[in-house]
Amino acid sequence: QVQLVESGGGLVQAGGSLRLSCAASGRTFSSYAMGWFRQAPGKEREFVAYIVGSTTATYYAESVKGRFTISRDNAKTTVYLQMNSLKPEDTAIYYCAAARNYYRTRPNDYDYWGQGTQVTVSS
């Protein structure tokens, strides 16, 4: 069982930055792939980025590539999402998720979810 708690969301102007954190419980954190997803009002939950546990390989959605950076600290059992050059279309609830299987971008492939943190980007 893995419990995930996100933090770091808020209101920021376009062009600004935020860093989201996701604190995980459980002694097997390093074995999980960790992903960030987001969901805007009226839209489906979409993949943002993932990071693999063992190799720290990363993968990003095209819409955030070059602006967002995912990282993890296995000693602190925490995963981060550094978001730079934010745009109004980045406004959404951001969710952290954990998956036993690697290299997955579909929400259904993730086993554990946090409660989400709101990110609002004003124009």
Side-chain angles (χ1 to χ4, degrees), residues 20-103:
L20 305 183
S21 299
C22 173
S25 65
R27 292 176 291 179
T28 58
F29 172 78
S30 62
S31 68
Y32 285 88
M34 299 300 297
W36 285 97
F37 290 77
R38 66 187 182 185
Q39 189 166 18
K43 295 188 177 181
E44 294 186 352
R45 191 168 298 190
E46 66 172 0
F47 168 77
V48 174
Y50 71 60
I51 184 166
V52 172
S54 57
T55 67
T56 66
T58 59
Y59 183 74
Y60 298 91
E62 284 297 322
S63 59
V64 306
K65 196 175 293 184
R67 300 188 298 122
F68 290 11
T69 302
I70 188 171
S71 62
R72 66 191 295 163
D73 185 333
N74 288 335
K76 295 182 178 179
T77 63
T78 300
V79 63
Y80 305 96
L81 185 68
Q82 178 66 44
M83 305 186 294
N84 298 329
S85 302
L86 282 162
K87 305 175 181 179
E89 51 263 43
D90 294 318
T91 295
I93 299 174
Y94 282 71
Y95 297 91
C96 170
R100 295 185 182 90
N101 296 311
Y102 291 176
Y103 312 115

